[in-house]
């Protein structure tokens, strides 16, 4: 403390400017880190949403496969596997819907998710139950007819809706990444220019004041 008091005014001012520059550098570093952390978090959420949606689509396909297998074999294990796949698909799909809430254009994604889920609940699931009921009653021929004539077209529509949902998540991820990277790059460039001007101005002021007092 005594050493600082004994310094000339010009040196004190120079030290003050240096301190300001140091704070500016620290603030810029914190800003850059925060921006990059936010970008990484958004990218991670998008990747997780795509992964979970893909799992939901896989379980949905497994559900259809086990329904047909039960028609052909009448094996209770196939029926149980179909029910399990149905539960798994529902869980994964709900998880995907929760994750997309934090993504850009989430309203569009949520609408696509609703379209797929609504079709599944009101068309595919009732037909699956109908097919299983026919098999349980010993009428595999009628179950197969329902599968081919009603269930397959309904499944094709469901898969189109699920594919639209998944591809939209991927498109949203790609767009948000490009936008975020552009914003980060622009923000960093602007902050660097401003910080550079601040440093040059501080050094110039410190030199001028020092020259006047020395």
């Amino acid at each position: 403390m005594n050493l600082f008091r004994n310094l000339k005014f010009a040196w004190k001012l120079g030290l003050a400017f240096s301190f300001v520059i140091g704070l500016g550098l620290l603030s810029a570093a914190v800003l850059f880190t925060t921006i990059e952390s936010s970008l990484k978090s958004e990218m991670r959420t998008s990747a997780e949403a795509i992964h979970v949606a893909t799992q939901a689509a896989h379980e949905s396909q497994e559900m259809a496969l086990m329904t047909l297998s039960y028609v052909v074999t009448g094996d209770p294990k196939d029926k149980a596997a179909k029910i399990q796949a149905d539960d798994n698909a529902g869980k994964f799909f709900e998880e995907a819907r929760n994750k997309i809430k934090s993504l850009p254009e989430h309203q569009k994604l949520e609408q696509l998710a609703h379209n797929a889920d609504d079709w599944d609940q009101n068309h595919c699931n009732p037909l699956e139950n109908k097919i299983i009921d026919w098999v349980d009653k010993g009428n595999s021929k009628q179950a197969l007819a329902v599968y081919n004539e009603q269930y397959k077209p309904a499944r094709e529509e469901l898969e189109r809706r699920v594919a639209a949902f998944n591809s939209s998540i991927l498109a949203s991820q790609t767009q948000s990444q490009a936008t975020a990277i552009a914003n980060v790059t622009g923000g960093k460039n602007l902050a660097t220019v401003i910080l550079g001007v601040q440093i040059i101005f501080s050094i110039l002021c410190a030199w001028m004041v020092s020259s006047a007092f020395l």
Side-chain angles (χ1 to χ4, degrees):
M1 180 64 69
N2 291 331
L3 179 62
F4 183 77
R5 290 178 178 174
N6 293 332
L7 290 175
K8 293 182 178 180
F9 174 76
W11 285 106
K12 292 179 180 180
L13 189 60
L15 289 175
F17 277 123
S18 298
F19 180 73
V20 171
I21 292 173
L23 285 179
L25 290 172
L26 179 61
S27 299
V30 172
L31 174 62
F32 295 164
T33 301
T34 301
I35 293 175
E36 290 180 351
S37 177
S38 177
L39 173 60
K40 290 178 180 178
S41 176
E42 184 174 307
M43 292 172 63
R44 182 168 55 252
T45 300
S46 297
E48 290 173 353
I50 292 173
H51 176 67
V52 175
T54 301
Q55 288 180 303
H58 172 75
E59 292 294 338
S60 180
Q61 292 171 351
E62 182 72 9
M63 184 170 53
L65 178 62
M66 289 299 101
T67 298
L68 178 59
S69 181
Y70 186 56
V71 172
V72 175
T73 66
D75 189 342
K77 292 182 180 179
D78 292 336
K79 179 180 177 180
K82 181 270 174 192
I83 295 173
Q84 183 61 54
D86 196 354
D87 291 341
N88 292 341
K91 291 176 182 178
F92 285 132
F93 201 68
E94 184 62 26
E95 186 176 350
R97 294 181 71 170
N98 289 332
K99 288 186 177 297
I100 63 176
K101 291 179 181 179
S102 61
L103 298 179
E105 299 185 351
H106 63 91
Q107 293 180 340
K108 175 184 176 182
L109 295 174
E110 289 176 6
Q111 182 60 51
L112 290 171
H114 172 75
N115 292 344
D117 185 53
D118 180 72
W119 185 267
D120 187 28
Q121 295 299 325
N122 294 313
H123 295 81
C124 293
N125 281 348
L127 288 172
E128 289 164 2
N129 294 334
K130 187 176 181 179
I131 292 168
I132 289 174
D133 286 342
W134 278 119
V135 175
D136 291 341
K137 293 176 181 178
N139 195 338
S140 296
K141 182 178 180 180
Q142 185 60 37
L144 186 59
V146 173
Y147 184 93
N148 289 327
E149 297 171 12
Q150 301 178 47
Y151 183 66
K152 285 179 68 176
R155 277 293 311 180
E156 290 173 359
E157 176 61 25
L158 175 61
E159 290 179 5
R160 279 194 293 269
R161 296 186 180 211
V162 171
F165 173 61
N166 290 353
S167 63
S168 293
I169 297 177
L170 182 59
S172 176
Q173 180 193 45
T174 302
Q175 181 180 356
S176 63
Q177 286 179 1
T179 302
I181 290 173
N183 290 339
V184 169
T185 302
K188 284 185 175 181
N189 291 340
L190 179 61
T192 300
V193 171
I194 293 175
L195 183 60
V197 172
Q198 178 187 3
I199 292 174
I200 294 173
F201 180 75
S202 298
I203 293 175
L204 181 61
C205 289
W207 177 79
M208 292 176 64
V209 173
S210 298
S211 298
F213 280 88
L214 287 177

